[in-house]
Amino acid sequence: MITLVRRVTAACLLGTALTACAATVHPAPRAARPAPSATSAPPTLAPGPGGLTPVFRNGSRAQGRTVALTFDADMTADQGARAAAGEHFDNPGLISALRALKVPATVFMTGRWAEEYPDQARSIGRDPLFEVANHSYSHYAFTDDCYGLPRVSADRMLTDVERAYTAFRKAGVPDARPYFRFPGGCYDRRALRELTSAGVTAVQWDVVSGDAFATDAEAVARQVLEGVRPGSVVVMHCTRSAAPTTERVVRTVVPQLRARGFRFVKVSELIGSWAGGSQAGGS
């Protein structure tokens, strides 16, 4: 995972870690196409080379000081017993902080999380400040050797993504975005090929916050502030048990980034304003 938590091997087994992975494919974004899962046809990228699912990493560095904060609401398909025993995979305090600070954000949600917290999923999905995107149903890995996550077979990858959209609809999320974040950030050519018919744009990031399993909010905030550039996509988490410092990090970095002239946007705005010359592509 991130620099601050790669040494936490046991944490990876929780299935909530999200980590920058080396990918083997570098699709080049082109013109937008409509998405089948959202009635408002939010911007997406055209297929990459060979028709593969396109990958977006960050927006233009030359179109203003914008930054997208993204939050992964992680819960794996097999963690129901832990939730029933009192473990908190949600973080309502973080969502309240974003609302109080008036920060637009993109929440990459697993279908299992939406099933566990349908009221929260619906509240986030119906708030115009936020957009809900797909983080798979199961939060199982789409490649081998992805930080201890269980593996979803190739023939189940598309079904896993579609099942998440079904869970969002059942929870009352009216317009989930056609954006997909691979669990663990791990993908390869086969995974991109298996998802082509889903019509999604895979969204990675260029700033790793280091909030997962971190206990030092100041260190996490410093890592974000040092990494953000115009057009950046920052990855954080919306899970109290796995990322207990994130609310404090947000309350620290938001005013400082605004003081530097940054404007917070959703991923859809970065994708929509993307133009030739940005560093979008596989990470």
Side-chain angles (χ1 to χ4, degrees):
M1 182 183 305
I2 48 183
T3 302
L4 296 178
V5 299
R6 282 187 175 175
R7 294 190 296 271
V8 191
T9 305
C12 297
L13 300 177
L14 298 178
T16 55
L18 185 70
T19 314
C21 296
T24 58
V25 182
H26 300 271
R30 291 172 290 187
R33 62 174 175 172
S37 60
T39 57
S40 58
T44 57
L45 302 179
L52 296 178
T53 297
V55 181
F56 181 80
R57 183 169 179 260
N58 58 266
S60 172
R61 303 300 192 192
Q63 293 189 0
R65 297 173 73 81
T66 56
V67 57
L69 300 186
T70 69
F71 299 89
D72 292 358
D74 294 344
M75 185 174 179
T76 63
D78 57 357
Q79 290 178 330
R82 286 166 52 180
E87 184 169 348
H88 295 287
F89 296 93
D90 62 339
N91 194 339
L94 168 63
I95 299 301
S96 295
L98 291 168
R99 285 172 169 149
L101 293 166
K102 296 180 173 57
V103 178
T106 303
V107 179
F108 285 87
M109 190 180 294
T110 68
R112 184 64 188 86
W113 194 98
E115 288 179 346
E116 188 69 27
Y117 306 106
D119 292 344
Q120 292 186 55
R122 181 168 56 253
S123 176
I124 294 168
R126 294 184 178 182
D127 188 334
L129 194 63
F130 306 124
E131 61 186 5
V132 171
N134 196 314
H135 195 30
S136 80
Y137 173 82
S138 64
H139 201 259
Y140 288 178
F142 282 55
T143 65
D144 294 323
D145 192 23
C146 185
Y147 305 97
L149 291 173
R151 169 72 189 274
V152 60
S153 61
D155 64 341
R156 300 293 297 172
M157 291 177 181
L158 179 61
T159 300
D160 197 68
V161 173
E162 292 174 339
R163 187 178 179 187
Y165 281 121
T166 298
F168 301 155
R169 288 192 294 270
K170 288 183 177 178
V173 176
D175 190 24
R177 304 284 91 176
Y179 309 138
F180 177 71
R181 176 164 285 166
F182 286 98
C186 304
Y187 69 93
D188 55 18
R189 178 175 293 271
R190 178 173 60 178
L192 294 176
R193 184 175 61 249
E194 292 296 330
L195 298 188
T196 54
S197 64
V200 296
T201 293
V203 176
Q204 296 288 93
W205 55 83
D206 67 314
V207 178
V208 179
S209 70
D211 68 334
F213 305 103
T215 57
D216 188 341
E218 291 184 4
V220 176
R222 185 165 56 249
Q223 185 156 308
V224 172
L225 292 169
E226 290 175 353
V228 166
R229 299 168 58 194
S232 280
V233 176
V234 183
V235 59
M236 290 188 275
H237 293 80
C238 186
T239 46
R240 272 182 284 175
S241 61
T245 67
T246 309
E247 179 186 344
R248 282 179 284 161
V249 171
V250 165
R251 292 186 181 277
T252 298
V253 302
V254 166
Q256 292 194 44
L257 287 174
R258 281 178 169 155
R260 296 181 188 179
F262 279 94
R263 179 172 63 90
F264 294 97
V265 300
K266 304 171 191 174
V267 165
S268 55
E269 183 170 336
L270 284 186
I271 292 178
S273 63
W274 184 89
S278 80
Q279 296 178 5
S283 62

